[in-house]
Amino acid sequence: MISLKTVKLPSVASFALLGAVAFAVSGCSDEKKAETKEIVRPVKVVEIAKDGETRALDYSGAVKARTEMNLGFRVAGKITERLVNIGDRVKPGDVLARIDSTDYQLAVKTAEANLAAAEKGVQTADLANKRAGQLFDKNVTPKSQLEQASLSYDQAVSTRDAAISSLDQAKNQVSYTDLKADQNGIVTAVSADTGQVVASGTPVVTVAVDGEKEVQIAVPENDIAEFKPGKTVKATFWSDDELVLDGKVREVSGSADQQSRTFSVRVSLPNDQRVLLGMTATIEADVTNSDPSVAVPLSALAEKDGTKIVWVVDRDAATVHARQIHVGGFTGDGVNVTDGLKAGDLVVAAGTQFMTENLKVLVPGQQSASAEPAGTVQ
């Protein structure tokens, strides 16, 4: 016998309840999607400033005397005494060092002896000349003997004059064994010391002459055209932040250094007692800005499809858009951008990895009442 089991079908009310629940779930999902689309992400931005008409160049150097003398002996010999040290002040006539003068003193004695012999020779020739004249007057000797005696006398006088010059030269050689200062100044370097044998002209002592001071800097070839003699520049000093002087370019080297490939530039400074030799100085010069590039932080740089981009904020729509740029290089301020940005552009400075095209953003200082922030990018 087959028994029949009654099956209870869902009521109309149950269908209605299930439909309501499904509609509610669908409504929540749509609300979540709408809420997600309306999320606004706060961002950090930098504004591209207007290019200035000038840019600043600064190079460091050292304060030097305008005139520095490398003093050396005018004769060769062995240094027997050095009388000055670095930092000593000297004045004209001060003895700085001495070399052994023994040989030069002997040369003086030899010259004196030669002069004495020459004097005797003049006396002898004079007597012979006078004697020949007397004999000629008496018609005892021919005129040829008188002329010969006169020529011998003239030759003896010339020999004596040469001996006098040799003696003076020997005495000068003795005086050259003392190295003396020519002008007022300060000793800045000692290149040879006692016991050393030096040749004529070898630098022994360097003296910085009192007077005008200047700063020597090294300028690379890409900026050397900006430094012309007479150009006004500003000099600051590492040891005194309050010491600022106006200087002028005095001299520009005509060729680059063989090793550093830089040009030497000398800047004259006004007389100021606070400026000391050897101080570290920075020369600042304002030049025409011919480079249209701008700098953005390194964190603002991104890459899309193999090209360099930055994210630029549309002020009116409060959205971001990718913009292709050309990078010129890296500087102390960040990335140098040569093309793609203009003055007034707002560039996202951080969190570029979270940016998408037309993403809504909140710029610092703005308020949004229609959307809830998604978190600040640091």
Side-chain angles (χ1 to χ4, degrees):
M1 174 183 245
I2 299 173
S3 62
L4 297 176
K5 193 172 185 180
T6 305
V7 178
K8 190 177 181 180
L9 298 175
S11 65
V12 176
S14 297
F15 281 113
L17 179 60
L18 289 174
V21 172
F23 178 77
V25 172
S26 176
C28 291
S29 178
D30 292 340
E31 289 178 1
K32 288 184 179 180
K33 290 181 180 179
E35 183 179 357
T36 302
K37 292 181 180 179
E38 292 299 323
I39 289 179
V40 177
R41 183 178 294 279
V43 292
K44 283 185 177 181
V45 295
V46 291
E47 184 175 2
I48 304 301
K50 183 179 180 180
D51 293 340
E53 296 181 355
T54 61
R55 62 189 177 98
L57 298 177
D58 58 273
Y59 294 99
S60 297
V63 177
K64 297 178 176 290
R66 177 169 181 172
T67 303
E68 287 188 348
M69 301 183 299
N70 292 321
L71 302 180
F73 291 102
R74 299 173 66 175
V75 293
K78 179 180 180 180
I79 300 177
T80 59
E81 191 175 10
R82 178 170 61 83
L83 304 176
V84 293
N85 296 308
I86 296 177
D88 290 348
R89 299 202 61 83
V90 297
K91 59 183 183 296
D94 286 351
V95 178
L96 309 180
R98 289 192 176 95
I99 62 175
D100 187 4
S101 62
T102 303
D103 293 340
Y104 300 103
Q105 294 287 358
L106 293 175
V108 170
K109 293 182 178 180
T110 300
E112 290 174 344
N114 292 335
L115 177 59
E119 291 285 1
K120 296 298 183 181
V122 170
Q123 293 176 6
T124 302
D126 183 45
L127 291 174
N129 187 39
K130 290 179 180 180
R131 181 62 176 169
Q134 293 174 356
L135 294 176
F136 176 75
D137 292 339
K138 296 178 180 180
N139 295 322
V140 176
T141 57
K143 187 178 181 179
S144 60
Q145 291 186 1
L146 176 61
E147 292 175 348
Q148 184 177 2
S150 178
L151 291 174
S152 296
Y153 173 76
D154 292 341
Q155 184 178 5
V157 171
S158 298
T159 302
R160 180 195 61 187
D161 293 342
I164 293 175
S165 298
S166 296
L167 177 59
D168 292 339
Q169 185 178 8
K171 290 181 179 179
N172 288 339
Q173 297 288 314
V174 173
S175 66
Y176 296 156
T177 59
D178 287 344
L179 180 60
K180 297 180 180 180
D182 296 330
Q183 301 183 47
N184 292 320
I186 184 171
V187 178
T188 58
V190 175
S191 304
D193 213 334
T194 303
Q196 184 174 343
V197 177
V198 294
S200 174
T202 301
V204 176
V205 176
T206 302
V207 175
V209 179
D210 289 345
E212 186 177 352
K213 298 182 179 69
E214 58 187 21
V215 178
Q216 183 177 8
I217 59 176
V219 180
E221 58 186 87
N222 58 320
D223 287 332
I224 191 60
E226 304 294 344
F227 291 85
K228 301 293 184 182
K231 180 182 179 64
T232 301
V233 296
K234 183 173 68 175
T236 58
F237 300 87
W238 179 80
S239 61
D240 189 350
D241 294 336
E242 297 181 356
L243 180 57
V244 181
L245 300 176
D246 291 329
K248 286 188 176 181
V249 176
R250 182 183 67 84
E251 178 183 275
V252 178
S253 175
S255 60
D257 181 79
Q258 293 293 331
Q259 296 181 348
S260 64
R261 306 307 304 168
T262 58
F263 292 80
S264 175
V265 176
R266 285 182 172 262
V267 178
S268 297
L269 300 177
N271 188 18
D272 194 302
Q273 298 299 325
R274 295 173 294 176
V275 179
L276 304 178
L277 297 177
M279 290 177 61
T280 302
T282 299
I283 300 299
E284 300 177 4
D286 293 331
V287 299
T288 302
N289 186 12
S290 59
D291 186 3
S293 63
V294 296
V296 298
L298 182 61
S299 57
L301 188 64
E303 188 169 339
K304 182 179 181 181
D305 298 331
T307 60
K308 302 294 183 183
I309 64 167
V310 292
W311 292 96
V312 180
V313 178
D314 185 338
R315 296 175 185 265
D316 297 330
T319 56
V320 294
H321 305 277
R323 183 179 297 179
Q324 183 178 353
I325 60 172
H326 295 282
V327 177
F330 296 90
T331 66
D333 298 326
V335 182
N336 206 22
V337 179
T338 59
D339 186 30
L341 294 175
K342 62 182 183 299
D345 285 343
L346 284 181
V347 177
V348 177
T352 56
Q353 68 272 24
F354 301 111
M355 298 295 102
T356 57
E357 192 68 22
N358 292 319
L359 176 67
K360 284 280 188 177
V361 294
L362 178 63
V363 178
Q366 296 181 349
Q367 293 182 352
S368 176
S370 61
E372 181 180 356
T376 301
V377 177
Q378 298 295 336

